Amino acid sequence: PYGVMYKIAGDLVTVDFDVNPSSSGNYIVATLKKELMPKTNKMFSCPAWTGEMARIQVEPDGNVAIVDAVAGKRYSSQVSWTI
């Protein structure tokens, strides 16, 4: 099943997601409180179910986004950072 959740354990924040964007482009997976975000932008890799790699950008403003997501592709992963 598709969805997004996040968890905080001490100073570690984890976002778990399984999404299938309906349109291509930057796709915001989650928006969290600024207090939960890293002080600088972070970039992570994420596999799509087609075997291609995607980039996940975590921004200090609260957005967690798939960069250049492709409509109809499933993205399922977790990203974690410390605060």
Side-chain angles (χ1 to χ4, degrees), residues 4 17-21 23-30 43-48 53-59 63-70 73-77 79:
V4 178
F17 59 91
D18 187 358
V19 297
N20 187 349
S23 61
S24 295
N26 292 350
Y27 179 80
I28 296 176
V29 173
M43 191 71 72
F44 299 92
S45 295
C46 165
M53 295 301 290
R55 293 172 293 145
I56 308 301
Q57 186 170 352
V58 178
E59 303 170 344
N63 287 333
V64 178
I66 300 171
V67 178
D68 296 326
V70 176
K73 286 193 178 180
R74 182 178 178 192
Y75 299 89
S76 182
S77 192
V79 292

Side-chain angles (χ1 to χ4, degrees), residues 30-67:
T31 301
L32 305 179
K33 296 178 186 177
K34 289 182 183 180
E35 301 85 52
L36 300 178
M37 305 309 289
K39 305 255 186 288
T40 60
N41 288 343
K42 302 296 179 202
M43 191 71 72
F44 299 92
S45 295
C46 165
W49 282 103
T50 59
E52 298 168 9
M53 295 301 290
R55 293 172 293 145
I56 308 301
Q57 186 170 352
V58 178
E59 303 170 344
D61 68 358
N63 287 333
V64 178
I66 300 171
V67 178

Side-chain angles (χ1 to χ4, degrees), residues 7-13 36 81-83:
K7 181 176 182 175
I8 305 161
D11 63 354
L12 181 69
V13 178
L36 300 178
W81 60 88
T82 56
I83 52 175

